[in-house]
Amino acid sequence: MVLSAADKSNVKAFWDKIGSHAGDYGAEALERTFCCFPTTKTYFHHFDLSHGSAQVKAHGQKVADALTQAVAHINDLPNALSALSDLHAYKLRVDPVNFKLLSHCLLVTLACHHPAEFTPAVHASLDKFFSAVSTVLTSKYR
Amino acid sequence: MMVNMSLATCLGNSSRALKVSDFPPAMVLSHRLLVVYPWTQRFFDNFGNLSSTSAIMGNPKVKAHGKKVLTSFGDAIKNMDNLKGAFAKLSELHCDKLHVDPENFRLLGNVLVIILASHFGKEFTPDMQAMWQKLVAGVATALAHKYH
């Protein structure tokens, strides 16, 4: 699935809109993922996963920062995410199914906080974008 | 799947608050599915014009389908202890007559969760989402149960 010009424009505009909230949304998406899909917690057994956890907050910021970078380099995701792709393939080895779960919870979080901007077209573009990012992050798995 | 009493109460409360089957944002359930996952349009050849987002959003057959699906979810909430029984006939229909890949039930369930999120905003807490995820997963499994 390829990101069209319209998709890229939708994603950039939406991400600009969320601005400095991205970190909070990253943390919230993680919390939702752990809450709704408890199997995802297996990758974070070393974390405090209670509500408001500083570790989850920090990790949410990391996820958000990576996505912000991805948006900024939306025309060349494989290069922009190359180091993260290596990390996930060789060190973290998070099963690919989990990227869909986090992506879904990111969409839920964004829909909660920006319902007016979260039109069907924007929803579709963001879903495609997260899917493209996930594909890059799992591209070196085997 | 086992669904406990507190889940039933919570979902019952939130769906009553929603008046699920009359819920205007939920009317767009099928619309949003067809726009976000265009390949799902394959099941709706006789629905008329689906050629663009605005055509889909204005299509009355799509809206009617969304309402049918939402009513079914309302029934699901009333039958949470026996989803497989409650959805047995619909499962046979979706397999034998409609030939729908059960993956589509998961897509629809997730679109419903997202629509609820955009309607309820911050009230749609992680715990609330978790309950709805369990319900949509239970419905998807029940609808796939009679497939052969």
Side-chain angles (χ1 to χ4, degrees), chain A residues 39-78:
Chain A
T39 51
T40 56
K41 295 191 293 186
T42 55
Y43 295 97
F44 293 91
H45 53 86
H46 53 299
F47 264 36
D48 164 21
L49 295 180
S50 58
H51 179 68
S53 149
Q55 284 177 307
V56 173
K57 236 180 135 178
H59 199 70
Q61 186 67 57
K62 259 196 208 173
V63 169
D65 290 343
L67 288 171
T68 302
Q69 274 301 294
V71 173
H73 296 96
I74 203 167
N75 288 314
D76 189 11
L77 291 176

Side-chain angles (χ1 to χ4, degrees), chain A:
Chain A
M1 287 186 246
V2 172
L3 293 173
S4 68
D7 288 327
K8 291 177 189 177
S9 151
N10 284 342
V11 169
K12 278 181 188 268
F14 192 91
W15 212 259
D16 279 343
K17 178 116 205 189
I18 71 174
S20 57
H21 293 295
D24 292 333
Y25 296 163
E28 183 179 328
L30 283 171
E31 185 180 357
R32 287 180 183 279
T33 308
F34 298 141
C35 187
C36 298
F37 308 109
T39 51
T40 56
K41 295 191 293 186
T42 55
Y43 295 97
F44 293 91
H45 53 86
H46 53 299
F47 264 36
D48 164 21
L49 295 180
S50 58
H51 179 68
S53 149
Q55 284 177 307
V56 173
K57 236 180 135 178
H59 199 70
Q61 186 67 57
K62 259 196 208 173
V63 169
D65 290 343
L67 288 171
T68 302
Q69 274 301 294
V71 173
H73 296 96
I74 203 167
N75 288 314
D76 189 11
L77 291 176
N79 261 326
L81 297 172
S82 179
L84 269 179
S85 180
D86 288 340
L87 181 73
H88 283 80
Y90 306 123
K91 185 143 189 277
L92 302 177
R93 291 168 292 182
V94 173
D95 190 282
V97 73
N98 296 285
F99 292 91
K100 281 196 183 182
L101 302 178
L102 177 60
S103 296
H104 171 67
C105 290
L106 277 163
L107 292 173
V108 169
T109 302
L110 297 175
C112 275
H113 291 279
H114 296 274
E117 292 89 356
F118 201 77
T119 61
V122 168
H123 173 175
S125 297
L126 285 166
D127 193 6
K128 287 172 77 175
F129 171 66
F130 293 143
S131 178
V133 168
S134 302
T135 298
V136 170
L137 291 179
T138 55
S139 61
K140 299 176 194 174
Y141 271 36
R142 56 177 172 176

Side-chain angles (χ1 to χ4, degrees), chain A residues 32 104 111-112 115 118 123 127, chain B residues 32 37 118 121 124 127 129 133:
Chain A
R32 287 180 183 279
H104 171 67
C112 275
F118 201 77
H123 173 175
D127 193 6
Chain B
R32 203 168 268 249
Y37 304 110
S118 55
F124 198 66
D127 284 338
Q129 182 191 346
Q133 297 288 169

Side-chain angles (χ1 to χ4, degrees), chain B residues 29 33 37 39-40 43-44 65 69 73 87 90-96 98-113 133 135-147:
Chain B
L29 174 62
L33 179 75
Y37 304 110
W39 57 91
T40 58
F43 302 109
F44 300 100
H65 179 266
V69 170
F73 268 97
F87 281 89
L90 269 178
S91 181
E92 286 168 7
L93 177 78
H94 281 77
C95 174
D96 299 333
L98 304 176
H99 312 293
V100 177
D101 178 349
E103 179 58 24
N104 292 282
F105 309 143
R106 285 174 257 289
L107 290 179
L108 185 74
N110 279 339
V111 171
L112 176 59
V113 166
Q133 297 288 169
L135 179 70
V136 302
V139 169
T141 301
L143 274 174
H145 186 64
K146 291 288 193 179
Y147 272 60

